[in-house]
Every structure is written in structure tokens, then in C-alpha cells.
Amino acid sequence: MNETDERDIRRTLATYTDLWVRHEMDEWGELFTEDSDFITHRGVWWTTRRENVRGHKDIPETVVAQKKHYTQEIVSVQAVAPDVALVHTAWTWPGHRVSTAEPPEDRRGLVTLVLVRQPTGRWLIRAAHNTRENGLADGKR
């Protein structure tokens, strides 16, 4: 993979994180191919861009308000084929609460993404698998 491809992929994922934090799900969805797969940290599998966006829009406003604390870091970018990249990211979401009745928890996880270069040169996400770490005290992955 050349430096330009890696830079473009990193830029795409920086946009992904920014749009996620701002909860701009329609724009966020444009970073995915129409036939993209997304597996959530709970194991829900969406098989189209539309399902993915709809599912990510359907969260409580209390959770949306907490997104400002979410961060994501690229751990690795690897070429799999000339127009295919495998990317791993690590995310953190400190003080996350599903509801105000529950105590906050510091969440973290990993996302595995497959990106494909489009004929226009733009890199889009073809598949993503979000895995929440279980928080074992020993810190092993």
C-alpha cells in the first residue's frame, strides 16, 4: 500500500469518527458501500448501508449526548489486495450510560473494517465488525 492510499484511508476514518461523534448518521452512512455489512458490538448484523444507518439512528438521545466522549484510534492499516484494505481501530467511550438509572462505565472495543477503493479513487467501508472488550482486569486482549 502506498502512502497516498494509507493517508486517504486514515482521512476516511477520521471523518467516520467525527461524524459518529456528532451523530450525523446520514453523512456517516455515505462512507459505506450500498451493500456494506456492519456487525454491532451486540452481534446484530446489518447487510446494507440503509439498515446500518437506520440502526445507528435508533438510539436514545441520552446516549447521543454522550458521544462527545467517544474516541477512536487507528491501530493498523494493511493492504489485502490492490484495492482492498484491512483496518483495525481501538475505541474508547468513558462514562457511557445506557440510561440514567445505570451507573456510568468506561467502555472500549475494537473495530475491524474492510475498505475498498472505488473507481473514483475514494475509499469506502465494505464491512465493519465492532467488538466491545469485556474489561478483564488483567488487561489482556
Side-chain angles (χ1 to χ4, degrees), residues 108 110 132-141:
R108 65 184 188 271
L110 302 166
R132 184 175 160 200
E133 289 185 12
N134 63 8
L136 292 174
D138 65 10
K140 293 181 183 175
R141 291 184 191 227

Side-chain angles (χ1 to χ4, degrees), residues 3-128:
E3 289 178 23
T4 300
D5 288 338
E6 184 167 343
R7 183 193 68 230
D8 291 347
I9 288 167
R10 287 180 179 277
R11 187 177 299 140
T12 296
L13 291 175
T15 301
Y16 169 107
T17 303
D18 179 59
L19 292 171
W20 170 261
V21 168
R22 292 188 291 126
H23 200 65
E24 299 288 339
M25 295 292 91
D26 290 323
E27 288 179 64
W28 180 80
E30 293 298 317
L31 299 173
F32 293 81
T33 63
E34 290 287 341
D35 61 344
S36 60
D37 292 282
F38 193 105
I39 300 175
T40 72
H41 73 91
R42 293 180 184 231
V44 176
W45 185 359
W46 293 312
T47 59
T48 67
R49 176 195 292 171
R50 187 173 43 144
E51 287 178 357
N52 180 18
V53 170
R54 185 175 52 234
H56 279 100
K57 281 182 173 182
D58 187 27
I59 62 171
E61 282 300 315
T62 55
V63 174
V64 171
Q66 299 172 57
K67 282 186 163 190
K68 63 186 173 194
H69 302 295
Y70 179 94
T71 63
Q72 184 168 226
E73 174 188 342
I74 295 172
V75 177
S76 70
V77 177
Q78 302 170 34
V80 176
D83 293 323
V84 180
L86 175 64
V87 179
H88 292 91
T89 69
W91 59 266
T92 60
W93 196 336
H96 184 278
R97 286 181 171 206
V98 176
S99 74
T100 56
E102 296 180 27
E105 63 177 304
D106 294 340
R107 291 186 175 188
R108 65 184 188 271
L110 302 166
V111 180
T112 300
L113 303 119
V114 175
L115 282 82
V116 292
R117 185 188 357 238
Q118 303 301 293
T120 61
R122 183 176 181 209
W123 288 90
L124 293 179
I125 301 163
R126 173 57 184 84

